[in-house]
Amino acid sequence: GNLSQTRALLFGEKEKFPSYAGSAIWRMFVYGAEFEGLEPAIMNVYTGDGKVLAIQRMGDRLYIVGQAGWPEDELSVLDRRRYVGEEDGNDSGGRSTNAERLERFAETFAGFPQDVVKFAVDHCETASVLEHPIYYREPNRPWGKGRVTLLGDAAHCIPPNMGMGTPLAFEDAVALGHALAKHGVKSEALRSFEADRMERVNTIAKFAIEQTGRYYKEKDDNANPFKLSKVNSFEYIMNFQQDPIPTDSGMPKEV
């Protein structure tokens, strides 16, 4: 992922740590409680003041997420180590308690609908509460070397405001499948894959990084992530297709 050990082995420790995007996120689940007015397959979203709060049903549970700007000089307050598993190159407060994470969540969203905030604090599965800063990796960084390449966040970690982290990883997998089918299991296939993906990934990454900074740090509502459909980049993101990976790739088969 965004702290890939493989990336560090390929390009050195300086390439391991991504950059801070200026915001923090809280995620949690609720089991066995219902939130009034929540319709199936619909996410209730509340935005403003450079923050986003959302709640939606996911199967037998409710998912609640909040994202807001967070000062870089106060990163040590957050529960970073629980997320990254180790220091990320800066002073860290290590792990914090569930109560502390929920308190920060409630304080951060004090100006938002309190029925949502109070519901989250009162009913969430405390063990599920995840709190961490948002990171990104600068575009145009290398992805691979020799017989190794990277996919997904290890290659191109971007802020989650556009919801494109997982889709880009799936696109990577398809593109890599095509490259291996065309060139075989060799370094040429990996370089071909990287060249094929760079332009699209870097375009989306640059937009996501700029947009998250404008909304969460500068509180520019024109960069609200839930108004993306009104910008030209939305069509570029959505109007994309890939052919299915050939079932007979010509690669060696197990005997």
Side-chain angles (χ1 to χ4, degrees):
N2 61 4
L3 286 174
S4 169
Q5 293 287 351
T6 303
R7 170 175 279 279
L9 289 172
L10 285 175
F11 304 113
E13 285 293 315
K14 64 181 178 62
E15 275 288 336
K16 179 178 180 180
F17 298 112
S19 302
Y20 177 51
S23 61
I25 195 166
W26 291 262
R27 314 174 203 252
M28 63 200 77
F29 290 110
V30 171
Y31 295 87
E34 294 297 329
F35 183 77
E36 185 176 353
L38 190 61
E39 300 180 21
I42 299 294
M43 174 182 278
N44 289 10
V45 179
Y46 312 87
T47 67
D49 192 35
K51 302 175 183 179
V52 169
L53 178 65
I55 179 171
Q56 72 174 128
R57 175 171 296 285
M58 298 179 67
D60 63 346
R61 58 189 176 178
L62 302 181
Y63 174 61
I64 300 170
V65 58
Q67 186 174 343
W70 191 270
E72 188 167 8
D73 59 4
E74 295 182 20
L75 279 177
S76 61
V77 175
L78 299 177
D79 187 40
R80 289 194 292 178
R81 189 174 293 182
R82 183 168 184 258
Y83 173 65
V84 302
E86 63 175 289
E87 297 289 352
D88 62 358
N90 298 301
D91 179 44
S92 172
R95 295 193 175 192
S96 62
T97 67
N98 295 327
E100 289 170 336
R101 293 193 290 275
L102 282 173
E103 182 179 2
R104 282 191 288 271
F105 167 78
E107 289 177 353
T108 300
F109 294 95
F112 277 60
Q114 286 304 289
D115 57 338
V116 180
V117 176
K118 190 174 186 305
F119 178 83
V121 172
D122 290 347
H123 298 287
C124 78
E125 175 68 29
T126 55
S128 75
V129 179
L130 185 64
E131 170 193 74
H132 63 84
I134 296 299
Y135 296 100
Y136 69 91
R137 196 172 299 284
E138 290 287 352
N140 298 311
R141 306 307 301 160
W143 291 7
K145 181 191 299 183
R147 295 177 64 84
V148 180
T149 193
L150 302 169
L151 285 76
D153 281 352
H156 44 71
C157 171
I158 67 173
N161 45 293
M162 297 174 66
M164 285 300 294
T166 300
L168 287 177
F170 280 124
E171 292 177 13
D172 286 351
V174 174
L176 180 58
H178 280 290
L180 291 170
K182 180 177 180 180
H183 300 286
V185 185
K186 57 181 74 172
S187 299
E188 182 183 0
L190 306 185
R191 303 294 86 78
S192 174
F193 152 72
E194 294 160 7
D196 177 61
R197 294 290 295 153
M198 278 286 184
E199 180 179 358
R200 175 171 170 79
V201 168
N202 286 338
T203 298
I204 293 174
K206 289 174 183 177
F207 182 78
I209 293 165
E210 177 189 2
Q211 186 262 347
T212 199
R214 285 175 54 203
Y215 184 70
Y216 293 106
K217 294 173 68 174
E218 301 172 16
K219 300 184 179 182
D220 179 359
D221 201 55
N222 290 321
N224 189 314
F226 287 88
K227 296 180 179 178
L228 284 178
S229 60
K230 299 181 181 180
V231 300
N232 293 335
S233 297
F234 183 77
E235 290 189 4
Y236 176 81
I237 293 168
M238 299 302 294
N239 295 338
F240 177 76
Q241 292 183 333
Q242 291 173 297
D243 293 329
I245 301 173
T247 54
D248 184 4
S249 64
M251 296 169 61
K253 296 180 175 61
E254 292 185 1
V255 178

